[in-house]
Amino acid sequence: MSTPKTTNAPIHVESADHLDELIADNDIVLVDYHAEWCGPCKMLEPTVAEIAEETSAVVAKVDIDELQELARDQQIRSVPTLQFYANGEKAHQVIGVQGKDDLVEVIEQLA
């Protein structure tokens, strides 16, 4: 599966291998762990989409119900959880709804 280097929309993660490939192939990756039934996740969705559109970060969305094993392996206990990866390494994590400016600031610090 080939993944574009840059994208203006969040990428739906299909498997743990797909997520690993995204993290390996891109300098900055924001992973949004979410669930369809999660109200705060729905509140955060437009912000995450704007970040995908406006920054150089690749935004990956992981549905914790579809990929339960991946969420368990990443020790995701609440949603939304946002993980930031820089150069293949996990660099930062936040839990809950966050402001766009705060998230963009983390991306800029990692770039």
Side-chain angles (χ1 to χ4, degrees):
M1 175 183 308
S2 76
T3 303
K5 291 286 185 199
T6 58
T7 179
N8 290 335
I11 298 168
H12 177 79
V13 175
E14 298 165 7
S15 66
D17 288 341
H18 184 209
L19 180 60
D20 290 344
E21 183 180 307
L22 288 169
I23 291 168
D25 289 350
N26 297 281
D27 294 336
I28 306 290
V29 180
L30 166 57
V31 184
D32 174 13
Y33 291 90
H34 67 97
E36 287 300 316
W37 47 261
C38 168
C41 299
K42 291 188 186 317
M43 289 173 42
L44 188 61
E45 200 166 333
T47 302
V48 171
E50 287 176 22
I51 288 171
E53 199 172 302
E54 298 170 9
T55 70
S56 60
V58 168
V59 176
K61 294 190 62 80
V62 175
D63 184 322
I64 64 161
D65 291 326
E66 282 181 22
L67 299 174
Q68 291 179 12
E69 190 173 324
L70 173 58
R72 190 170 34 254
D73 290 348
Q74 289 295 318
Q75 300 178 351
I76 303 303
R77 304 266 185 261
S78 347
V79 286
T81 293
L82 302 174
Q83 292 180 340
F84 296 83
Y85 289 82
N87 302 313
E89 299 292 324
K90 185 171 153 190
H92 192 69
Q93 176 172 304
V94 294
I95 297 171
V97 176
Q98 307 290 318
K100 178 181 171 185
D101 291 344
D102 294 335
L103 298 174
V104 170
E105 184 177 319
V106 172
I107 291 167
E108 289 172 350
Q109 289 174 353
L110 296 174

